[in-house]
Structures are given as C-alpha cells and as structure tokens.
Amino acid sequence: MTLQERIQAFVNLGKTLENLSEEEFETLSRRVENNNNWFTQEQTRSALEGLQVFLQEKALADWLGKYDLVSIESPRKIGVLMAGNVPAVGFHDFMTVLLSGHEFHGKLSSNDEVLMKWLAEELVAAEPRFADYIYFESMLKGMDAYIATGSDNSARYFEYYFGKYPNIIRKNRSSVAVFTGEEGEKDYLALGHDIFQYYGLGCRNISKVFLPNEEQLQDFLKAIQPFESVINHHKYRNNYDYNKSIYLVNQQPHLDNGFLLLTKGEGLVSPISVLYYEIYEDQQELESKLSSYTDKIQCVVSKEGQLKNSLPFGDAQCPGLEDYADNVDTMAFLIDLK
C-alpha cells in the first residue's frame, strides 16, 4: 500500500465512526461496558468522538507531512503492549505503526480488548490489505521493536525483557492544573471535564492542582456540582466511600462536596475520587515545582492556557496527533527502524 492508501483507509474509518447509527453504537457500547464496567456508554462515545478528530484527512496529512515516510520494502514487526485505562487508549500507537508501514502486533489489555478489536475490524473492512499487517497476540515474542505502556513498576520488567531491542517504554504519568486566583465558575466547569472524564482513570486526567491559597477551593467545589452524577457509578462510589473513610479514621484534613475529596499532598497521582492540591508562594516556586516533575507530568492546564506550555482548562482530554505519550515521538522512532 502507498502512504496515501493507508491514510485513506483511516479517513474511511473516521467516516464509519461518524456514520455509526445509534443502534449500532448502543450494541457496541454495551459490549464494551460488559467487558469493563468503567467504560460506560458515555465514555465510549467520548472516545469515538475524539478519534473522529484524529481521522480527518487534513489532520492526518498535516501530521504526516512533517516526516519522510518512504516506502518500506521489509516491514518490521512492532510489538505493542497496550494500556487499558480508558477506551481505545492504544489507538494512537495502533494507527502510528500502521501508517508508518510496519506490522502491528498488539497485546491488548483485557480491559480494552472489545473496542480495539472492533476498530481493527472496521479498518480492515475499509482496507482489506491491512489484514496482513494487524495481529493480536497473547505473547509478544520475536518482535523487531517494542512499544510498551505501563506503570513505573511494570516498566522495570519491560526494560528487562525488551531492553536489547529498539523500544519505547512508558511509565506512570499524570496531569495537573494551575490556579492563579483569577479563575471563575466557567473555568472551574471546564476543569471539571479534565478531572471527571473517564472517571479520572487516564494519564491526561487532572489529579492535582497547584494554587496560591486555599480560599478559592470552596468556590471550585461549588462550581463543579454539575459533575455530581459520577457518584452514581458503583465503582467510583466505592472508591469515594473508601477514601473518605480513610481520611475520617485518620483524621486527615480534607474538603468534600459529596463526590470529590480534596486533600493537601505533595504526590501527583491521586486515588480515584480524590484531587490533591499544593500551595505555591510565587511564580518562581511554581515553576520550580513543575520543573521537578517534568518526567512525571503528561500535561498542564491553566486558565485559557496562560501558563507557558499549558493547555486551557477543558482541553486536557483533547490531544492532537502530535501530542505523543511521554513526549516521545513514536513516528520518528518507527521511521528510524527502516
């Protein structure tokens, strides 16, 4: 296949998603949720809408136009060990491998196998020749290169097993918000999407906020009341009840609006239903704190993206095609393998 033919196949996949009937979507989303209760119909819809943004012809052409994607005579076998924390979280790796001209050999997370396999089937329906490039494996042995996503702990094992091959190994990342004291209700509502979409399970979900003082936290908690329905999800509720009981038993100071717990902490990765916060004295201290977490932060959000290298509130879950996980250019890595 030529590059243009590969691009067109993904564009056609985007059209399939766009034209999916409500009945077809409900059937698919029920299968997805039955496999993983965290992946509700609402979360699956959000994920598919995000993929449609990726799968626009102009977006793909602009992204790929920055690379020297020559024809590959001998495609390499790329083993991709996928995460499963949010619906279709591994799609970008899947797409990047195939658009680069290599073979995709994926080991799916059991949490996200239904949607990813469905997307692969629809891609093959759009371009049958991709059937010779897509393989789902129970074990990733004998690959030419590896892309593995996991925790800090699992990364040690990945490095042991895959270290002698070309690889990208991703560790824990989380995302943070920065308040300046100038935020209003509209800003807090936008931030609510960054916190609660996918129930806080993604690396782009906000798990901590830096702010100059605690006074605005009450206004923030009031403003995000429209998201209170998250507490109706039994797994989220279980996490909330558990964390609240721990804080009460340990007499740990915290704020609570009935569905989100705020507590002061220096950590970055907060438990589900909990948002950490940390006070900074001035801009210099803030920059120092953020700099010290560079290899642990996926993205930073602030009011209208005013902070350098940050996104506006509400945009954390809207990555572009060039927003590579852990800031490692996956396409450049794959091109260098030829």
Side-chain angles (χ1 to χ4, degrees):
M1 282 182 285
T2 65
L3 174 60
Q4 188 54 47
E5 288 171 333
R6 297 197 296 273
I7 291 174
Q8 190 58 51
F10 278 95
V11 171
N12 290 341
L13 174 60
K15 292 177 180 177
T16 297
L17 300 183
E18 184 180 347
N19 296 323
L20 203 63
S21 71
E22 192 60 29
E23 182 180 356
E24 290 172 317
F25 171 75
E26 288 186 4
T27 299
L28 172 63
S29 62
R30 279 197 297 269
R31 288 176 53 212
V32 171
E33 187 169 5
N34 286 340
N35 182 68
N36 181 351
N37 294 155
W38 281 114
F39 293 0
T40 62
Q41 184 177 97
E42 179 185 0
Q43 309 304 338
T44 297
R45 190 183 299 277
S46 293
L48 294 183
E49 288 174 352
L51 295 187
Q52 289 177 51
V53 176
F54 277 178
L55 300 175
Q56 300 295 316
E57 187 168 8
K58 184 179 186 306
L60 289 169
D62 289 348
W63 170 44
L64 298 176
K66 299 173 183 178
Y67 299 95
D68 182 18
L69 280 164
V70 298
S71 178
I72 297 176
E73 295 182 4
S74 300
R76 301 295 184 92
K77 295 179 179 180
I78 312 300
V80 183
L81 190 62
M82 291 188 163
N85 49 328
V86 300
V89 67
F91 183 83
H92 192 279
D93 284 338
F94 170 79
M95 176 174 64
T96 305
V97 169
L98 294 174
L99 286 173
S100 72
H102 293 299
E103 292 181 10
F104 170 87
H105 293 256
K107 186 178 189 307
L108 298 177
S109 165
S110 59
N111 290 330
D112 190 29
E113 58 183 3
V114 173
L115 187 55
M116 280 304 306
K117 285 184 177 179
W118 181 84
L119 288 165
E121 290 167 1
E122 292 300 319
L123 179 65
V124 171
E127 175 48 84
R129 285 176 290 180
F130 265 133
D132 294 329
Y133 287 81
I134 300 172
Y135 303 89
F136 292 111
E137 314 279 10
S138 58
M139 296 185 69
L140 294 176
K141 289 186 176 181
M143 301 293 112
D144 297 308
Y146 290 89
I147 299 172
T149 303
S151 65
D152 289 350
N153 188 48
S154 62
R156 290 185 294 139
Y157 295 95
F158 297 157
E159 288 165 355
Y160 175 79
Y161 288 111
F162 307 145
K164 62 182 178 181
Y165 303 96
N167 66 73
I168 294 176
I169 295 175
R170 305 187 184 118
K171 302 178 182 180
N172 276 349
R173 291 261 178 163
S174 58
S175 298
V176 302
V178 173
F179 288 171
T180 63
E182 300 177 356
E183 291 74 21
E185 182 177 352
K186 182 180 178 181
D187 301 309
Y188 297 142
L189 278 172
L191 177 59
H193 288 283
D194 297 332
I195 295 170
F196 296 110
Q197 190 168 355
Y198 306 123
Y199 297 105
L201 291 166
C203 67
R204 300 184 71 90
N205 283 107
I206 302 304
S207 57
K208 181 171 186 172
V209 59
F210 291 92
L211 69 166
N213 60 70
E214 298 178 348
E215 294 177 4
Q216 66 186 120
L217 290 177
Q218 291 292 350
D219 290 337
F220 164 69
L221 286 174
K222 290 177 184 177
I224 61 172
Q225 281 297 319
F227 295 95
E228 65 181 336
S229 62
V230 294
I231 202 68
N232 296 328
H233 191 287
H234 66 285
K235 287 191 172 184
Y236 185 94
R237 180 65 189 239
N238 289 343
N239 278 270
Y240 169 83
D241 288 341
Y242 172 79
N243 289 313
K244 182 175 181 176
S245 66
I246 293 295
Y247 292 160
L248 290 173
V249 168
N250 293 337
Q251 297 184 336
Q252 180 172 336
H254 64 279
L255 298 173
D256 178 8
N257 68 350
F259 59 93
L260 181 67
L261 302 163
L262 268 66
T263 188
K264 186 181 291 186
E266 295 187 357
L268 282 180
V269 184
S270 60
I272 294 170
S273 77
V274 176
L275 183 68
Y276 288 152
Y277 69 88
E278 187 172 343
I279 306 298
Y280 65 89
E281 295 295 331
D282 51 38
Q283 188 69 19
Q284 183 177 356
E285 183 183 8
L286 172 64
E287 291 176 358
S288 176
K289 288 179 182 291
L290 293 177
S291 178
S292 68
Y293 293 129
T294 298
D295 62 346
K296 293 292 185 182
I297 292 178
Q298 190 66 49
C299 67
V300 179
V301 295
S302 65
K303 179 182 174 68
E304 299 174 354
Q306 293 175 354
L307 186 70
K308 184 179 179 182
N309 297 322
S310 72
L311 299 170
F313 292 139
D315 282 4
Q317 296 292 350
C318 305
L321 287 165
E322 295 180 70
D323 292 327
Y324 295 103
D326 291 16
N327 300 314
V328 177
D329 190 325
T330 313
M331 183 61 81
F333 166 77
L334 293 166
I335 291 172
D336 287 343
L337 296 174
K338 67 178 187 292

